Amino acid sequence: MSIVDNLMAGLTLVGNLENFLALAIGVAVGVVCGAIPGMSATMAVALTLPFTFSMQPITGILLLLGVYKGGIFGGSIPAILIKTPGTPASSATVLDGYPMAEKGEAGRALGMALWASCTADLISNLSLILFAGWLASFALSFRPPEFFTLILFSLTIIAGVSGASLLRGALSALLGLLLATIGLDLIYGTNRFTFGDPNLMGGLNFIAVLIGLFAIPEILSMVWDPRSQDGSTRSLGRNWVSFADYRKSFKSIVRGSLIGVLLGSIPGIGAAPSAFLSYSEARRKSKDKENFGKGEVEGVAAAEAGNNGVAGATLIPLLALGVPGDVITAIIVGAFMIHGLQPGPMMFVTNVNIIYGLFVGLIVSSVFLFFIGSAAIRGFRLVADIPRGVLFPAVLILCIYGVYAVNNNVFDVGVMFAMGWVGYLMMRFDVPAAPFLIAFILGPLLEDNFRQAMLMSGGSPEIFFSSPITWFFWLLTAITVTAILRAGIKAATNSRKVETKAAD
């Protein structure tokens, strides 16, 4: 059968009220859960899984996929309104989304986040349908050396989010790399920097670090100087994004979507690195790069395109190879297993109608995401009208609840407050938080893949130059570092010229 015939068969399977209702409810649940700090898309999918046991296979899986899609977008709402990423994937959205909200453009930022999310989601879904086989074979070519060079290249993002001082950005990143080493050594199983505390054996909880780094400093700032926080949070300004904004950001949205598709098809990378890489590339190629980090709508678009581009692509290794692309798809594998389905190449032979039914459902989910996301924006935007004296204590309660709910561990709440003080000091001394977060995410991946590659080669570094993929990422890293150095030299030269003219 041709792909058109298969899609028609899938539409016949999916095209009933029960499936569409499950998909719509899933997207709505995902958006709400994603908008609650600490309630990540992963947690939302895990909590929804038991409800699928009595459903038809296609209905239950579509419900979970709807929660997944909605959760990724929902995290952008608190990231923009209250500088608290609802999910790790929305961390990069804070960089320009919250400054836009402070300037009275929260509605514009939320609108762009929705448009970018839906566009990237559609591109990701189409890539899944058209290129699943090719992208799955590409993902199979990644071994530890390829992963290491990819992550090394991704770390060059730090220069793009370091603000005015690359040195402060580098110090922030080094602190993130240091704290990422806490816990069990995954190669030898030994404890590192745990100081005998079993709570640290699993490392610092990422949700606790994320919320502590971005949300708690805002609350501490209000406590430190309450008079500066009187009144309402901010004006939303116009409540929708213009076509001119979308047209200006379209290239960044497409680029971010493709970055998300490529990284999403590689098991284990995740949405947060994709969002930061998309943001960095948008800043590097933008004519208004100086505005990034100060409230640039293109920055919001790039971040949301990067994280939503991953959503459909993570299903590529799952459906084509039977290998989950990330933690969420690993949970979705459970739904397949419960209904007697085994993801992988044979599923395209034995249950091809379900495969293409999922493809059709994913396309429909992009439509539901737009309308449900629009309604969510109109509802959650009321948060901006709440006085800060009421809003921030409520946010603090949500943060504590969200962090505690991840592992039911009070220790994680303590980590959140400790990171909150670190984040507050970084804010007071103009040390950017984004490089810390990027290094904290990518550090363990960098170290583990480096050590695995060295074990594979018997200690020979030649393994890092053993394939075309490694050479490709070494080349990209060299080009990016050269561009960063040139930009730094140019900025220093211009600064000296300005100082000389002022002295004259």
Side-chain angles (χ1 to χ4, degrees):
M1 295 175 68
S2 68
I3 189 171
V4 176
D5 294 332
N6 284 326
L7 286 172
M8 291 304 296
L11 180 60
T12 303
L13 179 64
V14 174
N16 59 64
L17 180 61
E18 183 183 5
N19 289 329
F20 286 155
L21 189 61
L23 200 53
I25 291 173
V27 172
V29 168
V31 170
V32 172
C33 289
I36 299 174
M39 283 286 291
S40 64
T42 304
M43 189 183 299
V45 172
L47 293 174
T48 308
L49 179 62
F51 293 97
T52 68
F53 294 167
S54 59
M55 297 180 179
Q56 293 295 319
I58 189 69
T59 308
I61 295 169
L62 286 176
L63 175 65
L64 296 178
L65 291 176
V67 175
Y68 181 15
K69 301 278 187 175
I72 296 295
F73 163 72
S76 67
I77 297 174
I80 291 169
L81 290 178
I82 55 177
K83 201 181 180 183
T84 307
T87 63
S90 56
S91 308
T93 308
V94 172
L95 301 178
D96 279 292
Y98 187 70
M100 287 183 69
E102 288 187 309
K103 295 192 296 186
E105 297 181 339
R108 184 181 173 210
L110 289 167
M112 177 53 79
L114 179 60
W115 275 99
S117 297
C118 292
T119 305
D121 191 49
L122 183 60
I123 291 174
S124 185
N125 294 337
L126 291 175
S127 300
L128 169 64
I129 295 170
L130 298 174
F131 307 115
W134 181 83
L135 286 171
S137 63
F138 172 73
L140 276 178
S141 0
F142 272 74
R143 304 170 302 145
E146 285 77 16
F147 273 115
F148 172 77
T149 52
L150 166 63
I151 296 161
L152 189 66
F153 164 65
S154 299
L155 281 173
T156 61
I157 300 167
I158 289 169
V161 294
S162 292
S165 174
L166 184 58
L167 177 60
R168 289 177 180 174
L171 290 174
S172 176
L174 288 173
L175 179 60
L177 287 172
L178 177 64
L179 294 187
T181 61
I182 294 174
L184 282 178
D185 182 329
L186 294 181
I187 303 296
Y188 296 110
T190 55
N191 292 329
R192 298 189 302 189
F193 305 114
T194 60
F195 305 104
D197 191 335
N199 289 300
L200 289 173
M201 290 177 66
L204 298 179
N205 181 278
F206 179 70
I207 298 295
V209 172
L210 174 67
I211 292 178
L213 205 58
F214 285 105
I216 302 302
E218 292 294 318
I219 298 171
L220 291 174
S221 180
M222 185 194 73
V223 173
W224 195 272
D225 187 9
R227 290 176 298 177
S228 67
Q229 309 289 350
D230 290 339
S232 295
T233 50
R234 63 195 67 85
S235 169
L236 281 176
R238 55 190 174 93
N239 61 4
W240 206 243
V241 68
S242 67
F243 179 73
D245 289 331
Y246 184 75
R247 184 177 59 188
K248 173 188 174 184
S249 305
F250 185 71
K251 288 183 179 179
S252 292
I253 292 173
V254 173
R255 186 190 308 113
S257 304
L258 296 177
I259 289 172
V261 168
L262 285 173
L263 295 188
S265 65
I266 302 170
I269 296 296
S274 174
F276 278 110
L277 183 57
S278 172
Y279 179 87
S280 176
E281 286 299 297
R283 180 183 182 278
R284 188 170 65 86
K285 293 181 177 295
S286 175
K287 297 178 181 177
D288 302 317
K289 56 172 62 70
E290 298 302 323
N291 292 334
F292 276 67
K294 302 175 183 177
E296 174 59 48
V297 70
E298 189 177 354
V300 175
E304 284 300 298
N307 63 40
N308 281 271
V310 168
T314 52
L315 295 173
I316 291 172
L318 173 64
L319 296 178
L321 306 171
V323 178
D326 61 2
V327 178
I328 297 178
T329 49
I331 297 171
I332 293 174
V333 167
F336 278 90
M337 299 291 190
I338 288 164
H339 293 290
L341 301 172
Q342 179 61 54
M346 287 305 297
M347 194 170 176
F348 281 84
V349 178
T350 57
N351 297 104
V352 69
N353 59 330
I354 291 181
I355 294 284
Y356 280 87
L358 293 177
F359 289 167
V360 172
L362 289 170
I363 297 295
V364 175
S365 72
S366 300
V367 179
F368 283 140
L369 178 60
F370 179 80
F371 288 105
I372 293 173
S374 300
I377 288 174
R378 285 193 289 272
F380 281 101
R381 67 194 289 269
L382 298 176
V383 170
D385 296 326
I386 302 174
R388 288 189 180 231
V390 176
L391 175 64
F392 278 17
V395 170
L396 179 60
I397 292 171
L398 280 176
C399 290
I400 294 172
Y401 163 75
V403 170
Y404 177 78
V406 175
N407 294 317
N408 293 330
N409 191 347
V410 177
F411 181 82
D412 290 340
V413 178
V415 171
M416 178 191 74
F417 281 113
M419 289 308 305
W421 280 105
V422 172
Y424 178 72
L425 292 173
M426 291 170 70
M427 184 171 67
R428 289 293 296 264
F429 292 101
D430 294 323
V431 177
F436 176 99
L437 189 63
I438 294 169
F440 188 79
I441 295 170
L442 296 180
L445 293 172
L446 183 77
E447 179 193 4
D448 291 342
N449 284 287
F450 173 79
R451 295 173 67 188
Q452 287 180 38
M454 294 300 283
L455 287 172
M456 288 168 58
S457 67
S460 172
E462 293 179 3
I463 194 171
F464 296 112
F465 303 89
S466 60
S467 72
I469 295 177
T470 59
W471 278 102
F472 173 72
F473 285 118
W474 280 120
L475 180 63
L476 286 181
T477 304
I479 292 172
T480 305
V481 170
T482 302
I484 293 168
L485 292 175
R486 287 182 62 186
I489 293 170
K490 183 178 179 181
T493 303
N494 291 337
S495 177
R496 282 196 296 269
K497 287 181 179 178
V498 170
E499 292 175 359
T500 303
K501 287 182 180 179
D504 294 339

